Amino acid sequence: MHDIRMVREQAAALRDGMRRRDALDQLEPVIARLEQLDRDRRAAIQAVEEKKAARNTASQEVGRRRKAGEDASALQAQTRALGEEIARIEATLVETEAAIQQGMYEIPNVTLPQVPAGDETHNAVVRTWGTPRAAEGVKPHWEVGESLGLLDLARGAKISGSGFIVFRGTGARLVRALMNLMLDLHTREHGYEELWVPVVVNRASMIGTGQLPKFAEDMYALGDDEGFLIPTAEVPVTNLHREEILDAAQLPKAMCAYTPCFRREAGAAGKDTRGLLRVHEFDKVELVRYCRPEDGPAQLELLTGHAEHVLQLLGLPYRVLLLAAGDTGFNSAMTYDLEVFAPGVGKWLEVSSCSVFTDFQARRANIRFRAAPGEKPRYVYTLNGSALAFPRVIAALLEHYQQPDGSVLVPEALRPYLGADFIR
RNA sequence: GGACAGGUGGCCGAGUGGUUGAAGGCACCGGUCUCGAAAACCGGCGUACCGGCAACGGUACCGUGAGUUCGAAUCUCACCCUGUCCGCCA
């Protein structure tokens, strides 16, 4: 969420940001309405505070007179009338503020200057690593996975529904191996603190990282009062220090967590329905960083490099995309997607999305730091990225390392974790 | 799930209807002293919003929300959270 002052004082920059996302036409009415609401709000505040100041002095006078044994009933009646007037103005103020908040929730982050303007056709490949394997003769991962007994998609669908996977045998072990490989790498070599967090979070956390109120249909709500299944570990991990003021010495702060992730994938019906490419429950290791504002872009490069490192260890060819403004997520100011090549399905698969959110999430979640003792707290910048999402990595492994005899070669870095050189 | 006890500033803790944004202490910042440090002493020290170029003025905030009242940290109600005990449970 932006500061309302962005609308008041930097409206031109805000409009330009929306234009770069190809979203200005859609959002212009919202912005214009916010400008009016902001004026209404301040006028109401001035009126209400003036009357409150009058009431405060009057009721002090009542106290003084009563203590002195004088009659204060006329002044009391007058003050009560003032109170009723205050209540009336405050009621309109509450409405105005609710409308402002609703409007502010509609406006996405403004992307950084280095982000290309326009829709996804303006996404830029900034680098590639490795050589994609030729597609000839490579079977899609679901065929290899099922023939090797690693996946049981039919039974996943039976016990939970389509889009839920059962891994079995070496397949199940592969999931555990990936989890350990990634967590070991990030904690031992990249300096992240490992967290084990709840996968059920409350509404305040979902609002803090920006999943709510805009993306409610994408999540599983538990049906009782307050619980949601997390769509990503970003939610519990970024919210860890919600409503806190950190010491500057704690920045940059690096945390990682393995969690399952739950997504209803509303609106994605019919896309990537086979295999592991789009599922309702999947596992992932997530990296989260907090930093000082001036470090944001450099921290994004660092975090993206940490995610890439996993793919390099696994020996999977990938490319890094800098998303154009129009393809950058609502909360993000700049995003790199990592796409791994899966020759069996002949596609680049998104296995990570690394973003810097500037202070857009920190403002919502109220995560601040004090640069020096005595200084005013400022919002941190938050970042996160998957490193990595398991199912598509597994798909790529099963396709990229497929052997003519139907077995799958295990990349060296994974062997100690899986305890095998080949999956057969 | 039941019964008690609690939730006050960065932390500890006083305050039970009226100049209380809130005593006192710790921490922190500045100063005196010192070769330097510690100790001691003096002073400062919350956040947000509105107005103002500024100095500054105003308003709000004592878990959250509603209510009573001329006036609420203080009284009432609901909810949330924490602690202790009981029950249940992997």
Side-chain angles (χ1 to χ4, degrees):
Chain A
M1 187 170 60
H2 292 289
D3 192 330
I4 183 68
R5 273 176 293 204
M6 181 90 187
V7 173
R8 192 184 310 152
E9 293 162 13
Q10 295 173 69
L14 182 65
R15 286 191 165 88
D16 185 54
M18 298 307 107
R19 189 177 296 117
R20 292 165 60 80
R21 280 182 180 265
D22 286 342
L24 184 58
D25 288 349
Q26 183 201 336
L27 290 172
E28 178 54 37
V30 179
I31 296 172
R33 180 165 154 75
L34 281 167
E35 288 174 320
Q36 182 56 47
L37 286 167
D38 180 50
R39 286 190 289 270
D40 294 347
R41 170 174 168 271
R42 283 184 294 158
I45 285 173
Q46 281 171 44
V48 102
E49 290 189 351
E50 197 179 299
K51 290 188 194 309
K52 280 185 177 174
R55 181 181 64 182
N56 286 348
T57 36
S59 67
Q60 267 174 30
E61 178 61 19
V62 168
R64 204 168 296 128
R65 287 191 194 175
R66 288 173 60 134
K67 206 167 273 180
E70 299 167 23
D71 174 57
S73 53
L75 189 56
Q76 275 184 35
Q78 208 179 315
T79 312
R80 177 186 290 137
L82 208 48
E84 284 161 6
E85 228 176 311
I86 288 166
R88 208 168 51 242
I89 306 171
E90 272 185 336
T92 69
L93 186 58
V94 166
E95 280 175 38
T96 305
E97 289 187 328
I100 287 173
Q101 179 145 76
Q102 206 180 344
M104 294 302 282
Y105 282 150
E106 295 290 312
I107 300 179
N109 205 348
V110 171
T111 49
L112 298 182
Q114 59 268 47
V115 173
D119 65 14
E120 68 274 7
T121 60
H122 296 87
N123 291 351
V125 176
V126 296
R127 60 183 164 273
T128 60
W129 187 92
T131 310
R133 175 178 174 175
E136 288 87 67
V138 180
K139 289 188 274 186
H141 61 274
W142 55 84
E143 287 183 20
V144 194
E146 299 216 283
S147 66
L148 291 174
L150 310 175
L151 302 177
D152 192 339
L153 299 171
R155 291 195 178 87
K158 176 174 72 182
I159 60 178
S160 297
S162 87
F164 292 90
I165 316 162
V166 172
F167 290 99
R168 48 198 319 172
T170 306
R173 191 179 175 85
L174 178 59
V175 174
R176 187 150 56 92
L178 287 171
M179 172 173 109
N180 286 328
L181 169 77
M182 294 182 199
L183 287 173
D184 283 349
L185 176 69
H186 299 312
T187 57
R188 292 176 186 166
E189 293 188 35
H190 299 151
Y192 287 79
E193 179 191 3
E194 183 173 345
L195 302 176
W196 194 275
V197 293
V199 299
V200 173
V201 297
N202 58 29
R203 178 171 294 272
S205 293
M206 284 295 199
I207 289 173
T209 32
Q211 280 72 26
L212 285 179
K214 210 172 153 53
F215 304 105
E217 67 281 4
D218 295 334
M219 297 173 317
Y220 288 99
L222 292 184
D224 65 0
D225 34 23
E226 266 290 274
F228 297 88
L229 292 177
I230 58 170
T232 159
E234 165 192 355
V235 180
V237 178
T238 303
N239 275 285
L240 193 72
H241 295 284
R242 172 153 53 84
E243 312 286 342
E244 292 183 26
I245 299 172
L246 305 166
D247 288 333
Q250 294 176 264
L251 300 178
K253 194 165 185 57
M255 299 169 282
C256 70
Y258 156 83
T259 67
C261 302
F262 305 88
R263 300 186 180 181
R264 296 184 59 214
E265 298 290 0
K271 272 189 189 170
D272 300 327
T273 46
R274 295 201 71 177
L276 302 178
L277 301 190
R278 188 178 292 274
V279 292
H280 292 303
E281 178 181 343
F282 66 96
D283 299 281
K284 151 165 99 56
V285 168
E286 184 77 2
L287 307 178
V288 172
R289 303 181 75 88
Y290 298 162
C291 71
R292 293 163 163 266
E294 59 271 28
D295 297 335
Q299 290 278 308
L300 177 61
E301 299 302 321
L302 186 69
L303 178 135
T304 305
H306 294 154
E308 285 177 64
H309 197 176
V310 179
L311 288 171
Q312 290 164 9
L313 283 180
L314 294 175
L316 293 173
Y318 68 90
R319 63 184 188 184
V320 181
L321 256 54
L322 171 57
L323 298 189
D327 203 24
T328 299
F330 184 87
N331 297 293
S332 174
M334 179 167 168
T335 297
Y336 288 118
D337 273 3
L338 304 190
E339 295 186 334
V340 66
F341 191 72
V345 294
K347 283 182 182 170
W348 292 93
L349 306 179
E350 181 189 329
V351 291
S352 177
S353 197
C354 300
S355 302
V356 58
F357 300 93
T358 60
D359 58 3
F360 199 81
Q361 283 185 328
R363 182 173 297 109
R364 285 181 161 220
N366 202 16
I367 307 164
R368 294 176 293 171
F369 75 103
R370 207 183 294 275
E375 268 188 38
K376 271 182 178 287
R378 296 157 65 200
Y379 292 114
V380 300
Y381 273 22
T382 58
L383 302 98
N384 69 53
S386 11
L388 302 161
F390 295 4
R392 292 176 186 170
V393 167
I394 292 170
L397 286 169
L398 296 183
E399 298 182 7
H400 181 76
Y401 286 112
Q402 217 175 101
Q403 304 299 303
D405 66 355
S407 68
V408 173
L409 176 70
V410 177
E412 206 168 324
L414 199 54
R415 287 177 196 166
Y417 291 98
L418 194 66
D421 296 358
F422 283 91
I423 304 172
R424 354 182 152 259

